[in-house]
Amino acid sequence: MERALLAERHPLWARSCPELKDIDFIRLGLLRCISVVDSGRHFLQTNEQIYGQLLPHSTYFKSLKSHRRTSMLEAFEQQSYHLHAETLLSQGIDYLKAFPELDEYSIEAADGHFIDHACHTEKNSKGKVYAAGGIYPLNLRSGLLRFLCLVTNGTQRHQEIPVLRDHIEKQNKGNNSSQKHLYVYDKTVTDFVWWDRQKRHANYMISMLKENSIATLVESIPFDSQHEINTGVEAYSVYENKGIKFNVVNYRDPETGKLHRFVTTLPMTINPGAIAMLYFKRWTIEKTFNNTKSNFKETKAWSSNTRSLENQMRRGVAIFAKACFGHPSPSKQQKLNATTYASGGPDSSSSPRPDPTRGRNIGSK
């Protein structure tokens, strides 16, 4: 934690707070993520009983809603993510290194994850409350998870795709990097016109083709059917919808015999089998969401306040990274690999593939 905080040079959020130091604020949040408690008050009581730390309730709950603390925690999460990424890279962890055609892309499987709303969440005009949550991307090279953006605090029904688009467009305005970014998302993300515009910003996507999609076949794309990665690929083609062209992969799973159709805005030079493989790897993010609920008991929002909720989500991914990866040494390499495969790293190509059309985990949506 200290390294992540110190890595931020001359931060605008820096401030001395003797009642609750920033490092203690982070530590308390991580501790709450792994504690089996029913509420914030219950956590403070448990913290006092076990660790002997007496903290005024008002100080703790005000800190959760603090704009400064939110900015600090966002910087902490980013630095922590980079530190873990460097550690994993130094250990040779890159689950996509066997696919050099993907080297110039940062590749993330993204999805929305929702938990029960906070008990004091206000009901809307119809007297209803909803699940609270946000969008998380999982790095398919390293298995690292990060928090992208908040979708809803539970006061309204979640609409994650408009929120995702807004976030990416804001990111485009402040991004001068030439890095290509690939998002692997479920079929709700497919908007051919919008994603065609995103290619100008080096943003690409892979998804499932919707069953009711109306598109015209333009041409077939030649590919090496003898290459091992393309096993199961029956067709690779260019389709068109309202003047927008995109590529479609027809893939039949050799194990189940089921036909899947994947759509992408990637260039034709990418092997169709690699496109199918990346979508199947998307399922690892669902395993990650399961881990946060079953292992860390993150099943309920701490507050309906948006800053407090973002703080909860950022510390949730930080504790996930610490629990799954920590600071590995060569002697722990075998254990690291086993944990990563179970908790978010892509599974081996020889293992049974999950059905990409399968519904989400209960509670994730």
mmCIF file of all heavy atoms in Angstrom, residues 22-47:
data_model
loop_
_atom_site.group_PDB
_atom_site.id
_atom_site.type_symbol
_atom_site.label_atom_id
_atom_site.label_comp_id
_atom_site.label_asym_id
_atom_site.label_seq_id
_atom_site.Cartn_x
_atom_site.Cartn_y
_atom_site.Cartn_z
ATOM 1 N N ASP A 22 -4.472 8.544 5.437
ATOM 2 C CA ASP A 22 -4.869 7.909 4.177
ATOM 3 C C ASP A 22 -4.517 6.432 4.149
ATOM 4 O O ASP A 22 -5.295 5.594 3.677
ATOM 5 C CB ASP A 22 -4.226 8.629 2.988
ATOM 6 C CG ASP A 22 -4.892 9.964 2.686
ATOM 7 O OD1 ASP A 22 -6.036 10.160 3.144
ATOM 8 O OD2 ASP A 22 -4.282 10.800 2.003
ATOM 9 N N ILE A 23 -3.339 6.097 4.667
ATOM 10 C CA ILE A 23 -2.913 4.696 4.640
ATOM 11 C C ILE A 23 -3.820 3.848 5.531
ATOM 12 O O ILE A 23 -4.126 2.691 5.211
ATOM 13 C CB ILE A 23 -1.427 4.563 5.071
ATOM 14 C CG1 ILE A 23 -0.883 3.188 4.722
ATOM 15 C CG2 ILE A 23 -1.258 4.885 6.537
ATOM 16 C CD1 ILE A 23 -0.772 2.936 3.248
ATOM 17 N N ASP A 24 -4.295 4.437 6.642
ATOM 18 C CA ASP A 24 -5.224 3.714 7.519
ATOM 19 C C ASP A 24 -6.607 3.615 6.888
ATOM 20 O O ASP A 24 -7.317 2.623 7.078
ATOM 21 C CB ASP A 24 -5.315 4.409 8.878
ATOM 22 C CG ASP A 24 -4.022 4.298 9.668
ATOM 23 O OD1 ASP A 24 -3.326 3.271 9.502
ATOM 24 O OD2 ASP A 24 -3.712 5.223 10.443
ATOM 25 N N PHE A 25 -6.987 4.650 6.145
ATOM 26 C CA PHE A 25 -8.268 4.628 5.425
ATOM 27 C C PHE A 25 -8.285 3.493 4.402
ATOM 28 O O PHE A 25 -9.267 2.761 4.278
ATOM 29 C CB PHE A 25 -8.466 5.977 4.727
ATOM 30 C CG PHE A 25 -9.687 6.046 3.842
ATOM 31 C CD1 PHE A 25 -10.963 6.096 4.384
ATOM 32 C CD2 PHE A 25 -9.547 6.067 2.458
ATOM 33 C CE1 PHE A 25 -12.085 6.172 3.567
ATOM 34 C CE2 PHE A 25 -10.659 6.138 1.640
ATOM 35 C CZ PHE A 25 -11.927 6.191 2.187
ATOM 36 N N ILE A 26 -7.175 3.328 3.700
ATOM 37 C CA ILE A 26 -7.072 2.238 2.725
ATOM 38 C C ILE A 26 -7.091 0.887 3.434
ATOM 39 O O ILE A 26 -7.802 -0.036 3.032
ATOM 40 C CB ILE A 26 -5.782 2.387 1.893
ATOM 41 C CG1 ILE A 26 -5.823 3.671 1.058
ATOM 42 C CG2 ILE A 26 -5.594 1.171 0.973
ATOM 43 C CD1 ILE A 26 -4.518 3.988 0.367
ATOM 44 N N ARG A 27 -6.298 0.786 4.508
ATOM 45 C CA ARG A 27 -6.212 -0.478 5.239
ATOM 46 C C ARG A 27 -7.568 -0.901 5.792
ATOM 47 O O ARG A 27 -7.952 -2.070 5.710
ATOM 48 C CB ARG A 27 -5.199 -0.346 6.375
ATOM 49 C CG ARG A 27 -5.008 -1.633 7.175
ATOM 50 C CD ARG A 27 -4.066 -1.413 8.346
ATOM 51 N NE ARG A 27 -4.555 -0.394 9.255
ATOM 52 C CZ ARG A 27 -5.495 -0.600 10.173
ATOM 53 N NH1 ARG A 27 -6.052 -1.813 10.292
ATOM 54 N NH2 ARG A 27 -5.896 0.364 10.970
ATOM 55 N N LEU A 28 -8.316 0.059 6.354
ATOM 56 C CA LEU A 28 -9.635 -0.249 6.896
ATOM 57 C C LEU A 28 -10.580 -0.739 5.801
ATOM 58 O O LEU A 28 -11.384 -1.647 6.010
ATOM 59 C CB LEU A 28 -10.223 0.985 7.581
ATOM 60 C CG LEU A 28 -9.628 1.346 8.943
ATOM 61 C CD1 LEU A 28 -10.131 2.718 9.400
ATOM 62 C CD2 LEU A 28 -9.964 0.287 9.980
ATOM 63 N N GLY A 29 -10.480 -0.118 4.612
ATOM 64 C CA GLY A 29 -11.329 -0.541 3.509
ATOM 65 C C GLY A 29 -11.023 -1.954 3.047
ATOM 66 O O GLY A 29 -11.928 -2.757 2.796
ATOM 67 N N LEU A 30 -9.730 -2.281 2.952
ATOM 68 C CA LEU A 30 -9.341 -3.631 2.559
ATOM 69 C C LEU A 30 -9.775 -4.646 3.614
ATOM 70 O O LEU A 30 -10.230 -5.748 3.285
ATOM 71 C CB LEU A 30 -7.818 -3.702 2.365
ATOM 72 C CG LEU A 30 -7.219 -2.813 1.263
ATOM 73 C CD1 LEU A 30 -5.713 -3.001 1.203
ATOM 74 C CD2 LEU A 30 -7.840 -3.107 -0.091
ATOM 75 N N LEU A 31 -9.647 -4.239 4.880
ATOM 76 C CA LEU A 31 -10.040 -5.132 5.969
ATOM 77 C C LEU A 31 -11.545 -5.386 5.953
ATOM 78 O O LEU A 31 -12.007 -6.511 6.163
ATOM 79 C CB LEU A 31 -9.622 -4.519 7.305
ATOM 80 C CG LEU A 31 -9.795 -5.396 8.556
ATOM 81 C CD1 LEU A 31 -8.962 -6.675 8.419
ATOM 82 C CD2 LEU A 31 -9.383 -4.618 9.797
ATOM 83 N N ARG A 32 -12.313 -4.342 5.648
ATOM 84 C CA ARG A 32 -13.764 -4.511 5.597
ATOM 85 C C ARG A 32 -14.171 -5.432 4.449
ATOM 86 O O ARG A 32 -15.146 -6.177 4.549
ATOM 87 C CB ARG A 32 -14.457 -3.154 5.456
ATOM 88 C CG ARG A 32 -15.991 -3.252 5.509
ATOM 89 C CD ARG A 32 -16.647 -1.901 5.525
ATOM 90 N NE ARG A 32 -18.097 -2.029 5.434
ATOM 91 C CZ ARG A 32 -18.943 -0.999 5.400
ATOM 92 N NH1 ARG A 32 -18.482 0.245 5.477
ATOM 93 N NH2 ARG A 32 -20.254 -1.204 5.306
ATOM 94 N N CYS A 33 -13.413 -5.391 3.356
ATOM 95 C CA CYS A 33 -13.725 -6.247 2.202
ATOM 96 C C CYS A 33 -13.620 -7.736 2.541
ATOM 97 O O CYS A 33 -14.297 -8.555 1.920
ATOM 98 C CB CYS A 33 -12.789 -5.925 1.036
ATOM 99 S SG CYS A 33 -13.181 -4.386 0.170
ATOM 100 N N ILE A 34 -12.766 -8.078 3.488
ATOM 101 C CA ILE A 34 -12.565 -9.488 3.796
ATOM 102 C C ILE A 34 -13.171 -9.874 5.146
ATOM 103 O O ILE A 34 -12.982 -10.987 5.617
ATOM 104 C CB ILE A 34 -11.063 -9.857 3.787
ATOM 105 C CG1 ILE A 34 -10.285 -9.019 4.802
ATOM 106 C CG2 ILE A 34 -10.479 -9.694 2.392
ATOM 107 C CD1 ILE A 34 -8.822 -9.402 4.921
ATOM 108 N N SER A 35 -13.901 -8.941 5.758
ATOM 109 C CA SER A 35 -14.530 -9.220 7.041
ATOM 110 C C SER A 35 -15.984 -9.640 6.842
ATOM 111 O O SER A 35 -16.678 -9.102 5.980
ATOM 112 C CB SER A 35 -14.488 -7.981 7.956
ATOM 113 O OG SER A 35 -13.160 -7.583 8.211
ATOM 114 N N VAL A 36 -16.414 -10.594 7.627
ATOM 115 C CA VAL A 36 -17.813 -11.032 7.576
ATOM 116 C C VAL A 36 -18.603 -10.161 8.548
ATOM 117 O O VAL A 36 -18.759 -10.489 9.727
ATOM 118 C CB VAL A 36 -17.948 -12.525 7.944
ATOM 119 C CG1 VAL A 36 -19.393 -12.977 7.810
ATOM 120 C CG2 VAL A 36 -17.050 -13.368 7.046
ATOM 121 N N VAL A 37 -19.067 -9.024 8.056
ATOM 122 C CA VAL A 37 -19.813 -8.073 8.880
ATOM 123 C C VAL A 37 -21.089 -7.675 8.148
ATOM 124 O O VAL A 37 -21.170 -7.764 6.916
ATOM 125 C CB VAL A 37 -18.967 -6.819 9.193
ATOM 126 C CG1 VAL A 37 -17.808 -7.180 10.111
ATOM 127 C CG2 VAL A 37 -18.450 -6.171 7.919
ATOM 128 N N ASP A 38 -22.065 -7.204 8.895
ATOM 129 C CA ASP A 38 -23.362 -6.880 8.320
ATOM 130 C C ASP A 38 -23.515 -5.417 7.931
ATOM 131 O O ASP A 38 -24.393 -5.071 7.146
ATOM 132 C CB ASP A 38 -24.483 -7.244 9.312
ATOM 133 C CG ASP A 38 -24.509 -8.730 9.635
ATOM 134 O OD1 ASP A 38 -24.261 -9.528 8.706
ATOM 135 O OD2 ASP A 38 -24.767 -9.084 10.802
ATOM 136 N N SER A 39 -22.672 -4.551 8.492
ATOM 137 C CA SER A 39 -22.813 -3.119 8.221
ATOM 138 C C SER A 39 -21.528 -2.403 8.583
ATOM 139 O O SER A 39 -20.593 -3.005 9.148
ATOM 140 C CB SER A 39 -23.974 -2.539 9.042
ATOM 141 O OG SER A 39 -23.683 -2.606 10.432
ATOM 142 N N GLY A 40 -21.496 -1.092 8.305
ATOM 143 C CA GLY A 40 -20.334 -0.297 8.658
ATOM 144 C C GLY A 40 -20.159 -0.193 10.167
ATOM 145 O O GLY A 40 -19.029 -0.251 10.681
ATOM 146 N N ARG A 41 -21.247 -0.034 10.881
ATOM 147 C CA ARG A 41 -21.168 0.028 12.343
ATOM 148 C C ARG A 41 -20.670 -1.302 12.916
ATOM 149 O O ARG A 41 -19.866 -1.326 13.853
ATOM 150 C CB ARG A 41 -22.543 0.376 12.920
ATOM 151 C CG ARG A 41 -22.979 1.808 12.625
ATOM 152 C CD ARG A 41 -24.352 2.109 13.194
ATOM 153 N NE ARG A 41 -24.759 3.462 12.912
ATOM 154 C CZ ARG A 41 -24.454 4.521 13.665
ATOM 155 N NH1 ARG A 41 -23.735 4.337 14.769
ATOM 156 N NH2 ARG A 41 -24.867 5.719 13.337
ATOM 157 N N HIS A 42 -21.160 -2.396 12.351
ATOM 158 C CA HIS A 42 -20.705 -3.716 12.790
ATOM 159 C C HIS A 42 -19.206 -3.867 12.554
ATOM 160 O O HIS A 42 -18.477 -4.411 13.394
ATOM 161 C CB HIS A 42 -21.483 -4.796 12.040
ATOM 162 C CG HIS A 42 -21.185 -6.187 12.498
ATOM 163 N ND1 HIS A 42 -21.560 -7.311 11.773
ATOM 164 C CD2 HIS A 42 -20.517 -6.659 13.592
ATOM 165 C CE1 HIS A 42 -21.159 -8.387 12.414
ATOM 166 N NE2 HIS A 42 -20.526 -8.023 13.517
ATOM 167 N N PHE A 43 -18.725 -3.353 11.404
ATOM 168 C CA PHE A 43 -17.293 -3.442 11.100
ATOM 169 C C PHE A 43 -16.473 -2.654 12.114
ATOM 170 O O PHE A 43 -15.435 -3.129 12.595
ATOM 171 C CB PHE A 43 -17.014 -2.920 9.691
ATOM 172 C CG PHE A 43 -15.562 -2.692 9.411
ATOM 173 C CD1 PHE A 43 -14.677 -3.758 9.279
ATOM 174 C CD2 PHE A 43 -15.055 -1.401 9.313
ATOM 175 C CE1 PHE A 43 -13.326 -3.549 9.061
ATOM 176 C CE2 PHE A 43 -13.707 -1.181 9.077
ATOM 177 C CZ PHE A 43 -12.848 -2.262 8.957
ATOM 178 N N LEU A 44 -16.900 -1.434 12.446
ATOM 179 C CA LEU A 44 -16.158 -0.619 13.400
ATOM 180 C C LEU A 44 -16.116 -1.272 14.776
ATOM 181 O O LEU A 44 -15.094 -1.228 15.476
ATOM 182 C CB LEU A 44 -16.779 0.778 13.487
ATOM 183 C CG LEU A 44 -16.633 1.657 12.241
ATOM 184 C CD1 LEU A 44 -17.344 2.979 12.431
ATOM 185 C CD2 LEU A 44 -15.170 1.881 11.885
ATOM 186 N N GLN A 45 -17.231 -1.895 15.186
ATOM 187 C CA GLN A 45 -17.257 -2.605 16.463
ATOM 188 C C GLN A 45 -16.296 -3.792 16.451
ATOM 189 O O GLN A 45 -15.546 -4.025 17.410
ATOM 190 C CB GLN A 45 -18.670 -3.077 16.760
ATOM 191 C CG GLN A 45 -19.654 -1.946 17.039
ATOM 192 C CD GLN A 45 -21.090 -2.428 17.129
ATOM 193 O OE1 GLN A 45 -21.365 -3.615 16.920
ATOM 194 N NE2 GLN A 45 -22.018 -1.518 17.419
ATOM 195 N N THR A 46 -16.319 -4.544 15.344
ATOM 196 C CA THR A 46 -15.432 -5.699 15.204
ATOM 197 C C THR A 46 -13.976 -5.260 15.173
ATOM 198 O O THR A 46 -13.099 -5.892 15.790
ATOM 199 C CB THR A 46 -15.767 -6.470 13.911
ATOM 200 O OG1 THR A 46 -17.144 -6.859 13.929
ATOM 201 C CG2 THR A 46 -14.888 -7.705 13.768
ATOM 202 N N ASN A 47 -13.699 -4.169 14.490
ATOM 203 C CA ASN A 47 -12.340 -3.650 14.389
ATOM 204 C C ASN A 47 -11.819 -3.230 15.761
ATOM 205 O O ASN A 47 -10.644 -3.456 16.102
ATOM 206 C CB ASN A 47 -12.313 -2.462 13.423
ATOM 207 C CG ASN A 47 -10.910 -1.949 13.167
ATOM 208 O OD1 ASN A 47 -10.023 -2.693 12.752
ATOM 209 N ND2 ASN A 47 -10.695 -0.669 13.418
#
